[in-house]
Amino acid sequence: MYLSRFLSIHALWVTVSSVMQPYPLVWGHYDVCKTQIYTEEGKVWDYMACQPESTDMTKYLKVKLDPPDITCGDPPETFCAMGNPYMCNNECDASTPELAHPPELMFDFEGRHPSTFWQSATWKDYPKPLQVNITLSWSKTIELTDNIVITFESGRPDQMILEKSLDYGRTWQPYQYYATDCLDAFHMDPKSVKDLSQHTVLEIICTEEYSTGYMTNSKIIHFEIKDRFAFFAGPWLRNMASLYGQLDTTKKLRDFFTVTDLRIRLLRPAVGEIFVDELHLARYFYAISDIKVHGRCKCNLHATVCVYDNSKLTCECEHNTTGPDCGKCKKNYQGRPWSPGSYLPIPKGTANTCIPSISSIGNPSKFNRIWPNISSLEVSNPKQVAPKVALSTVPSVQVANHKRANVCDNELLHCQNGGTCHNHARCLCPAAYTGVLCEKRRCEETGGCGARSGQGAPPRGHAALLLLLPLLPLLPPATPTPTAAPFAV
């Protein structure tokens, strides 16, 4: 008479097992993602926190100039040669491809001869300022991984500001100021990145290092990303564990290297002298032959691949997350609040996988409060599960130890192996067991488990079986199996 009830339990077990199959007892550790790392053997892939490969992000941007008619050539005009500012017989003509200098030439293949470049109109309207805003937009959050490099075909500007936006151009903040005289231009003392430290790495500085005039070897402007990484990872960036630890636990540092848009504000062209030569204003203009921006899509450590489709970058999200940045859990996978992946503990990290909402397989909605069985994790944020580590490779990494989230519930998630739930916060385990849910044999920590230890390992799937126990009252009552009628003779 219990056959029907047994079959109902068996069917429910199969359903729960199939849903939970991708989720081992220790939920959340990376086992499918790979990250490109650098070793003495070169560039290799290793299983750790999920993040797309770093690449040249200029392939995916959109560029906008302000004022929009600032590009030279409409109407055609002459300008002076780069090497000889008094040889002013060069022509810019937007209607002739060989003489045109449109904005897309800031991002084309370098190495062509003669070089290709974007060029502004000359300073023919002096003393009105010759100013240009060049906005680079990705319509996607990206993380910078290498220096921003701007190569000028003209002299480097006397005054320039590099700005960033984290909200798709709605608001802007300075990244760095550039000037031949920082005190005069921006009322700031000149500095270089070498003057910074771990504690001042987020300081916005003005540098005079990249603002000389017409010189053959003075065409490049840098915004130093790697030099800032080096404060944490060492001069050769070999201690990436330290850098990842800092990025994981310091939001301001993480945001510093994160952008949706960049803006280059050209405020004053290269003059080369104290005074502007008003008789030769065709000497003064801006020309950029190349811009390099290396980075990766920000996917919150939930994706290894970022695809470019229909002129749009999108993360291919793992761990049951979704959204352009993998910033939320999929429908029916909201068994706990969404959290970004973590680089910690080094080296493998923690995936913080979105787990199924138990209500999505026909169970009471209160099962949505189930939490993963991850031992040795402290909760650093009510909405984030992040490990607290003490590693020599991660100096000054501190993770706040706030109140631990509910890890057990006498009705929902039982403590195992005879443990009892205390205030929904922790399991009180028998002497022979340990772990968040008393799921570990204590002897395993010392390697002393043996056949006669008296501590049998819990059967595989034990946690899932415990989930079924509260459901038994919800199953339909067993119905007697009808007795078969006798054969007619």
Side-chain angles (χ1 to χ4, degrees):
M1 63 181 294
Y2 294 101
L3 179 60
S4 175
R5 182 179 292 270
F6 173 79
L7 291 177
S8 298
I9 295 175
H10 177 72
L12 185 58
W13 168 259
V14 170
T15 301
V16 172
S17 298
S18 63
V19 171
M20 296 178 63
Q21 187 174 2
Y23 306 95
L25 288 181
V26 180
W27 267 312
H29 286 76
Y30 289 107
D31 56 358
V32 295
C33 287
K34 293 187 292 184
T35 292
Q36 203 170 52
I37 62 173
Y38 295 86
T39 67
E40 293 181 356
E41 289 76 29
K43 211 160 46 169
V44 299
W45 289 89
D46 190 20
Y47 288 92
M48 56 185 300
C50 292
Q51 51 189 6
E53 182 179 1
S54 175
T55 187
D56 180 3
M57 298 303 294
T58 58
K59 297 180 290 187
Y60 311 111
L61 61 77
K62 294 179 180 177
V63 60
K64 183 181 76 171
L65 300 184
D66 182 30
D69 59 351
I70 195 62
T71 300
C72 70
D74 186 19
E77 61 179 313
T78 58
F79 61 93
C80 301
M82 312 300 176
N84 186 348
Y86 295 99
M87 184 183 294
C88 300
N89 57 359
N90 295 281
E91 188 176 5
C92 180
D93 186 349
S95 63
T96 305
E98 294 80 10
L99 301 176
H101 297 283
E104 53 266 26
L105 295 183
M106 288 187 276
F107 313 104
D108 64 334
F109 175 70
E110 280 294 279
R112 295 172 55 181
H113 185 77
S115 62
T116 57
F117 50 91
W118 163 81
Q119 183 173 312
S120 75
T122 62
W123 205 357
K124 56 183 179 290
D125 293 331
Y126 179 84
K128 178 182 177 182
L130 179 61
Q131 298 182 348
V132 184
N133 287 345
I134 303 172
T135 303
L136 314 179
S137 301
W138 284 271
S139 299
K140 171 78 180 75
T141 310
I142 66 170
E143 298 169 327
L144 301 174
T145 58
D146 205 339
N147 294 351
I148 298 171
V149 182
I150 307 170
T151 303
F152 283 82
E153 193 69 17
S154 64
R156 297 184 290 194
D158 281 355
Q159 296 177 17
M160 177 187 126
I161 307 174
L162 180 65
E163 297 179 325
K164 60 170 285 189
S165 176
L166 262 172
D167 54 11
Y168 305 97
R170 287 188 286 273
T171 61
W172 295 91
Q173 53 189 293
Y175 238 166
Q176 191 152 296
Y177 296 88
Y178 302 81
T180 53
D181 188 332
C182 286
L183 196 59
D184 178 66
F186 302 114
H187 309 290
M188 300 173 68
D189 291 324
K191 285 188 178 182
S192 70
V193 174
K194 298 178 181 64
D195 298 320
L196 301 178
S197 66
Q198 281 192 17
H199 302 292
T200 60
V201 68
L202 304 184
E203 181 182 347
I204 307 303
I205 65 172
C206 177
T207 179
E208 298 176 357
E209 186 175 356
Y210 303 110
S211 301
T212 54
Y214 287 98
M215 294 177 61
T216 55
N217 297 322
S218 301
K219 290 187 173 184
I220 296 176
I221 283 180
H222 285 264
F223 177 73
E224 300 91 341
I225 296 290
K226 282 191 170 181
D227 284 352
R228 289 170 167 85
F229 286 167
F231 290 127
F232 307 100
W236 301 103
L237 302 184
R238 289 178 177 172
N239 188 6
M240 295 302 288
S242 176
L243 173 63
Y244 286 153
Q246 292 288 349
L247 292 173
D248 204 283
T249 57
T250 311
K251 184 178 185 300
K252 287 184 178 179
L253 183 67
R254 190 166 61 246
D255 287 348
F256 184 81
F257 300 108
T258 303
V259 303
T260 59
D261 306 78
L262 290 170
R263 185 163 68 183
I264 303 165
R265 295 184 59 196
L266 305 173
L267 302 180
R268 180 182 172 89
V271 174
E273 301 103 6
I274 298 176
F275 300 103
V276 173
D277 183 358
E278 299 184 39
L279 299 178
H280 298 90
L281 292 175
R283 297 174 54 189
Y284 309 122
F285 53 89
Y286 307 104
I288 296 177
S289 63
D290 190 49
I291 297 177
K292 284 286 186 288
V293 182
H294 275 266
R296 60 167 59 95
C297 292
K298 178 180 174 66
C299 300
N300 284 296
L301 301 186
H302 285 309
T304 303
V305 177
C306 188
V307 296
Y308 188 63
D309 189 30
N310 294 325
S311 300
K312 186 177 182 181
L313 285 167
T314 306
C315 301
E316 287 195 347
C317 301
E318 304 281 353
H319 313 140
N320 303 314
T321 61
T322 187
D325 298 343
C326 307
K328 61 182 180 179
C329 292
K330 287 182 178 178
K331 183 180 180 182
N332 297 330
Y333 285 90
Q334 298 166 351
R336 63 174 177 181
W338 175 90
S339 179
S342 174
Y343 291 111
L344 304 175
I346 302 295
K348 298 301 182 183
T350 308
N352 292 332
T353 302
C354 290
I355 63 176
S357 307
I358 303 301
S359 58
S360 67
I361 57 173
N363 293 329
S365 59
K366 61 184 177 180
F367 278 82
N368 290 346
R369 301 205 305 267
I370 186 171
W371 282 82
N373 173 9
I374 304 179
S375 60
S376 75
L377 293 188
E378 302 285 340
V379 176
S380 63
N381 186 299
K383 296 184 178 180
Q384 179 176 349
V385 176
K388 182 178 182 180
V389 298
L391 297 174
S392 60
T393 56
V394 190
S396 71
V397 174
Q398 297 180 356
V399 181
N401 181 18
H402 298 302
K403 183 179 179 181
R404 184 190 298 270
N406 290 2
V407 295
C408 63
D409 189 305
N410 283 327
E411 295 180 9
L412 307 179
L413 191 58
H414 291 257
C415 299
Q416 302 175 24
N417 298 308
T420 57
C421 185
H422 180 68
N423 292 335
H424 305 297
R426 63 190 182 96
C427 291
L428 301 178
C429 303
Y433 291 89
T434 184
V436 175
L437 298 179
C438 308
E439 78 282 2
K440 289 185 178 180
R441 292 182 293 171
R442 192 175 296 277
C443 61
E444 291 178 351
E445 299 182 346
T446 60
C449 294
R452 298 183 179 181
S453 64
Q455 299 179 27
R460 183 176 179 85
H462 185 65
L465 180 60
L466 290 173
L467 292 175
L468 298 176
L469 299 180
L471 303 179
L472 294 179
L474 304 177
L475 296 175
T479 55
T481 303
T483 305
F487 289 103
V489 181

